[in-house]
Amino acid sequence: MSESISIKQTIVVRSRPDVLYRLALEPRRRVKWDPNLTKAEYEGGEGRLTNNALVRFKFSRKLLGLSFVAKYGQLQAPQRGGWESLRHVGPLEKLTQGWQFKPMPGGTEVTLSINGRIRYKWIRTPVERVLNNMVITTLVELQRTVDAQGAQLMEDMGREMQEKQKAEAKAAKEAAKANKGKKKK
């Protein structure tokens, strides 16, 4: 008898749905920012993000370094997409991951859901904890990846504004000095 685990988390990210869709679902891009994955590549060399595309994933060591092949499905750019494992993944009979991107003012609501069927009842709690941590880490890193560009831009703009204010303050001080000098004569 197998038990199911379902985990669903939602965050709001300041980016367009199409950008997030490619970051989250394109294996080559995903492996660059997601610390939970050490490898993600299409089976058979060059592949494209399409329904039924096969991708070989390898989790990081903290997720036991498990390797598995998954099949992409339910791809509807840029609203949703996901994959499901073809065979068991360690203690899980089946593992599925689904993404939803809902545009909203100021960003996109991103929902990541993971479903797994446990092979052994006794291991349910630790596996659920690991999967929950994986979901949270993935969403936080997605947010950081997208915000890194925006954060750098904001930092640069803040620095420019600060320099501009300093220059204006200096000019005002010099103008005040000059006015003071004129009044004494």
Side-chain angles (χ1 to χ4, degrees), residues 75-106:
L75 295 176
Q76 283 186 339
Q79 286 103 28
R80 65 188 177 116
W83 52 257
E84 76 175 330
S85 63
L86 295 181
R87 280 190 228 105
H88 65 77
V89 180
L92 298 165
E93 280 180 20
K94 187 167 274 302
L95 179 65
T96 63
Q97 187 178 84
W99 292 85
Q100 288 185 330
F101 307 97
K102 194 165 131 190
M104 57 189 299

Short mmCIF file of all heavy atoms in Angstrom, two decimals, residues 75-106:
data_model
loop_
_atom_site.label_atom_id
_atom_site.label_comp_id
_atom_site.label_asym_id
_atom_site.label_seq_id
_atom_site.Cartn_x
_atom_site.Cartn_y
_atom_site.Cartn_z
N LEU A 75 2.50 21.15 -20.82
CA LEU A 75 3.18 22.41 -21.11
C LEU A 75 2.24 23.35 -21.85
O LEU A 75 1.72 23.01 -22.91
CB LEU A 75 4.43 22.17 -21.96
CG LEU A 75 5.55 21.37 -21.30
CD1 LEU A 75 6.68 21.13 -22.29
CD2 LEU A 75 6.07 22.06 -20.07
N GLN A 76 2.00 24.50 -21.27
CA GLN A 76 1.23 25.56 -21.89
C GLN A 76 1.96 26.87 -21.60
O GLN A 76 1.73 27.49 -20.58
CB GLN A 76 -0.19 25.64 -21.32
CG GLN A 76 -1.12 24.60 -21.82
CD GLN A 76 -2.53 24.84 -21.31
OE1 GLN A 76 -2.76 25.50 -20.31
NE2 GLN A 76 -3.50 24.29 -22.02
N ALA A 77 2.88 27.22 -22.50
CA ALA A 77 3.67 28.44 -22.28
C ALA A 77 2.76 29.64 -22.33
O ALA A 77 1.90 29.72 -23.19
CB ALA A 77 4.76 28.53 -23.34
N PRO A 78 2.91 30.62 -21.50
CA PRO A 78 3.74 30.68 -20.30
C PRO A 78 2.94 30.44 -19.02
O PRO A 78 3.34 30.92 -17.98
CB PRO A 78 4.28 32.09 -20.36
CG PRO A 78 3.12 32.89 -20.89
CD PRO A 78 2.40 31.95 -21.85
N GLN A 79 1.81 29.71 -19.10
CA GLN A 79 0.97 29.55 -17.90
C GLN A 79 1.38 28.40 -16.99
O GLN A 79 1.38 28.53 -15.78
CB GLN A 79 -0.51 29.32 -18.27
CG GLN A 79 -1.20 30.55 -18.76
CD GLN A 79 -1.35 30.53 -20.27
OE1 GLN A 79 -1.41 29.49 -20.89
NE2 GLN A 79 -1.38 31.70 -20.86
N ARG A 80 1.70 27.23 -17.57
CA ARG A 80 1.99 26.09 -16.71
C ARG A 80 2.80 25.02 -17.42
O ARG A 80 2.93 25.03 -18.65
CB ARG A 80 0.70 25.48 -16.17
CG ARG A 80 -0.18 24.87 -17.24
CD ARG A 80 -1.53 24.47 -16.65
NE ARG A 80 -2.37 23.95 -17.70
CZ ARG A 80 -2.80 22.70 -17.74
NH1 ARG A 80 -2.47 21.85 -16.81
NH2 ARG A 80 -3.57 22.30 -18.71
N GLY A 81 3.31 24.11 -16.63
CA GLY A 81 4.07 22.99 -17.17
C GLY A 81 4.56 22.12 -16.03
O GLY A 81 4.48 22.50 -14.86
N GLY A 82 5.10 20.96 -16.39
CA GLY A 82 5.61 20.08 -15.35
C GLY A 82 6.17 18.80 -15.94
O GLY A 82 6.27 18.65 -17.16
N TRP A 83 6.54 17.90 -15.06
CA TRP A 83 7.08 16.61 -15.48
C TRP A 83 6.72 15.54 -14.46
O TRP A 83 6.32 15.85 -13.35
CB TRP A 83 8.59 16.67 -15.69
CG TRP A 83 9.39 17.23 -14.56
CD1 TRP A 83 9.93 18.49 -14.50
CD2 TRP A 83 9.78 16.60 -13.34
NE1 TRP A 83 10.62 18.66 -13.32
CE2 TRP A 83 10.55 17.51 -12.59
CE3 TRP A 83 9.55 15.33 -12.79
CZ2 TRP A 83 11.07 17.21 -11.34
CZ3 TRP A 83 10.08 15.02 -11.54
CH2 TRP A 83 10.84 15.96 -10.83
N GLU A 84 6.86 14.27 -14.89
CA GLU A 84 6.67 13.17 -13.96
C GLU A 84 7.74 12.12 -14.23
O GLU A 84 8.16 11.92 -15.37
CB GLU A 84 5.27 12.58 -14.06
CG GLU A 84 5.00 11.72 -15.24
CD GLU A 84 3.61 11.08 -15.21
OE1 GLU A 84 3.08 10.82 -14.12
OE2 GLU A 84 3.08 10.84 -16.30
N SER A 85 8.18 11.49 -13.15
CA SER A 85 9.24 10.48 -13.28
C SER A 85 8.67 9.25 -14.00
O SER A 85 7.50 8.91 -13.85
CB SER A 85 9.78 10.09 -11.91
OG SER A 85 8.76 9.49 -11.13
N LEU A 86 9.52 8.60 -14.78
CA LEU A 86 9.08 7.41 -15.51
C LEU A 86 9.16 6.17 -14.62
O LEU A 86 8.37 5.25 -14.77
CB LEU A 86 9.94 7.20 -16.76
CG LEU A 86 9.80 8.29 -17.83
CD1 LEU A 86 10.67 7.97 -19.02
CD2 LEU A 86 8.35 8.44 -18.27
N ARG A 87 10.16 6.13 -13.73
CA ARG A 87 10.30 5.01 -12.80
C ARG A 87 10.43 5.56 -11.40
O ARG A 87 10.41 6.77 -11.19
CB ARG A 87 11.54 4.19 -13.16
CG ARG A 87 11.27 3.24 -14.31
CD ARG A 87 12.44 2.27 -14.49
NE ARG A 87 12.75 2.26 -15.92
CZ ARG A 87 13.80 2.85 -16.47
NH1 ARG A 87 14.68 3.47 -15.72
NH2 ARG A 87 13.99 2.81 -17.75
N HIS A 88 10.62 4.70 -10.45
CA HIS A 88 10.74 5.15 -9.06
C HIS A 88 11.99 6.03 -8.87
O HIS A 88 12.97 5.90 -9.58
CB HIS A 88 10.74 3.98 -8.08
CG HIS A 88 11.91 3.07 -8.22
ND1 HIS A 88 13.15 3.39 -7.73
CD2 HIS A 88 12.03 1.85 -8.78
CE1 HIS A 88 13.99 2.42 -7.99
NE2 HIS A 88 13.34 1.47 -8.63
N VAL A 89 11.88 6.94 -7.88
CA VAL A 89 12.98 7.83 -7.52
C VAL A 89 13.28 7.54 -6.06
O VAL A 89 12.62 8.06 -5.17
CB VAL A 89 12.58 9.31 -7.70
CG1 VAL A 89 13.72 10.23 -7.31
CG2 VAL A 89 12.10 9.58 -9.12
N GLY A 90 14.27 6.69 -5.82
CA GLY A 90 14.60 6.30 -4.44
C GLY A 90 13.38 5.70 -3.74
O GLY A 90 12.78 4.75 -4.23
N PRO A 91 12.97 6.29 -2.61
CA PRO A 91 11.84 5.74 -1.86
C PRO A 91 10.47 6.12 -2.44
O PRO A 91 9.45 5.76 -1.89
CB PRO A 91 12.02 6.36 -0.46
CG PRO A 91 12.74 7.63 -0.71
CD PRO A 91 13.62 7.39 -1.90
N LEU A 92 10.47 6.83 -3.55
CA LEU A 92 9.21 7.26 -4.18
C LEU A 92 8.90 6.41 -5.41
O LEU A 92 9.75 6.20 -6.26
CB LEU A 92 9.30 8.73 -4.61
CG LEU A 92 9.52 9.74 -3.49
CD1 LEU A 92 9.96 11.07 -4.06
CD2 LEU A 92 8.24 9.91 -2.70
N GLU A 93 7.66 5.92 -5.49
CA GLU A 93 7.23 5.17 -6.67
C GLU A 93 7.14 6.11 -7.86
O GLU A 93 7.51 5.76 -8.98
CB GLU A 93 5.85 4.54 -6.44
CG GLU A 93 5.88 3.29 -5.65
CD GLU A 93 4.49 2.72 -5.47
OE1 GLU A 93 3.56 3.07 -6.23
OE2 GLU A 93 4.32 1.92 -4.54
N LYS A 94 6.60 7.29 -7.61
CA LYS A 94 6.41 8.28 -8.67
C LYS A 94 6.61 9.65 -8.08
O LYS A 94 6.24 9.91 -6.95
CB LYS A 94 5.02 8.15 -9.27
CG LYS A 94 4.80 9.03 -10.49
CD LYS A 94 3.56 8.67 -11.25
CE LYS A 94 3.70 7.59 -12.26
NZ LYS A 94 4.61 7.68 -13.32
N LEU A 95 7.22 10.54 -8.86
CA LEU A 95 7.44 11.92 -8.44
C LEU A 95 7.01 12.82 -9.57
O LEU A 95 7.40 12.62 -10.72
CB LEU A 95 8.92 12.14 -8.12
CG LEU A 95 9.33 13.55 -7.67
CD1 LEU A 95 8.68 13.89 -6.33
CD2 LEU A 95 10.84 13.66 -7.54
N THR A 96 6.13 13.78 -9.27
CA THR A 96 5.70 14.74 -10.29
C THR A 96 5.95 16.14 -9.76
O THR A 96 5.88 16.39 -8.56
CB THR A 96 4.20 14.59 -10.63
OG1 THR A 96 3.43 14.88 -9.47
CG2 THR A 96 3.88 13.21 -11.14
N GLN A 97 6.23 17.04 -10.71
CA GLN A 97 6.44 18.43 -10.36
C GLN A 97 5.63 19.28 -11.33
O GLN A 97 5.69 19.06 -12.54
CB GLN A 97 7.92 18.79 -10.47
CG GLN A 97 8.24 20.17 -9.96
CD GLN A 97 9.72 20.47 -10.03
OE1 GLN A 97 10.20 20.87 -11.08
NE2 GLN A 97 10.43 20.27 -8.93
N GLY A 98 4.89 20.25 -10.80
CA GLY A 98 4.08 21.11 -11.65
C GLY A 98 4.29 22.58 -11.30
O GLY A 98 4.43 22.93 -10.13
N TRP A 99 4.33 23.41 -12.31
CA TRP A 99 4.51 24.86 -12.15
C TRP A 99 3.30 25.57 -12.73
O TRP A 99 2.81 25.18 -13.80
CB TRP A 99 5.74 25.33 -12.90
CG TRP A 99 7.04 24.87 -12.35
CD1 TRP A 99 7.67 23.69 -12.61
CD2 TRP A 99 7.89 25.58 -11.45
NE1 TRP A 99 8.86 23.63 -11.93
CE2 TRP A 99 9.02 24.79 -11.22
CE3 TRP A 99 7.80 26.82 -10.82
CZ2 TRP A 99 10.06 25.19 -10.38
CZ3 TRP A 99 8.85 27.22 -10.00
CH2 TRP A 99 9.95 26.40 -9.78
N GLN A 100 2.86 26.64 -12.06
CA GLN A 100 1.82 27.51 -12.60
C GLN A 100 2.30 28.94 -12.47
O GLN A 100 2.83 29.33 -11.43
CB GLN A 100 0.50 27.34 -11.86
CG GLN A 100 -0.17 26.03 -12.16
CD GLN A 100 -1.53 25.93 -11.50
OE1 GLN A 100 -1.77 26.50 -10.45
NE2 GLN A 100 -2.42 25.20 -12.14
N PHE A 101 2.07 29.72 -13.53
CA PHE A 101 2.48 31.13 -13.55
C PHE A 101 1.26 31.98 -13.86
O PHE A 101 0.71 31.89 -14.96
CB PHE A 101 3.56 31.34 -14.61
CG PHE A 101 4.72 30.39 -14.45
CD1 PHE A 101 4.80 29.23 -15.20
CD2 PHE A 101 5.72 30.64 -13.53
CE1 PHE A 101 5.85 28.34 -15.05
CE2 PHE A 101 6.78 29.76 -13.37
CZ PHE A 101 6.84 28.60 -14.12
N LYS A 102 0.84 32.78 -12.88
CA LYS A 102 -0.36 33.58 -13.03
C LYS A 102 0.04 35.06 -13.00
O LYS A 102 0.49 35.56 -11.96
CB LYS A 102 -1.32 33.26 -11.88
CG LYS A 102 -2.72 33.77 -12.07
CD LYS A 102 -3.61 33.07 -11.07
CE LYS A 102 -4.46 34.09 -10.35
NZ LYS A 102 -5.15 33.51 -9.21
N PRO A 103 -0.09 35.76 -14.14
CA PRO A 103 0.29 37.18 -14.16
C PRO A 103 -0.59 38.00 -13.24
O PRO A 103 -1.78 37.74 -13.09
CB PRO A 103 0.11 37.59 -15.62
CG PRO A 103 -0.68 36.53 -16.27
CD PRO A 103 -0.64 35.31 -15.41
N MET A 104 0.02 38.98 -12.59
CA MET A 104 -0.71 39.90 -11.73
C MET A 104 0.03 41.23 -11.72
O MET A 104 1.17 41.28 -12.14
CB MET A 104 -0.84 39.31 -10.32
CG MET A 104 0.46 38.98 -9.65
SD MET A 104 0.26 38.07 -8.12
CE MET A 104 -0.67 39.18 -7.14
N PRO A 105 -0.61 42.30 -11.28
CA PRO A 105 0.07 43.59 -11.27
C PRO A 105 1.35 43.54 -10.44
O PRO A 105 1.34 43.06 -9.31
CB PRO A 105 -0.96 44.54 -10.63
CG PRO A 105 -2.28 43.86 -10.79
CD PRO A 105 -1.99 42.39 -10.81
N GLY A 106 2.46 43.96 -11.04
CA GLY A 106 3.73 44.00 -10.33
C GLY A 106 4.51 42.70 -10.35
O GLY A 106 5.55 42.60 -9.72
#
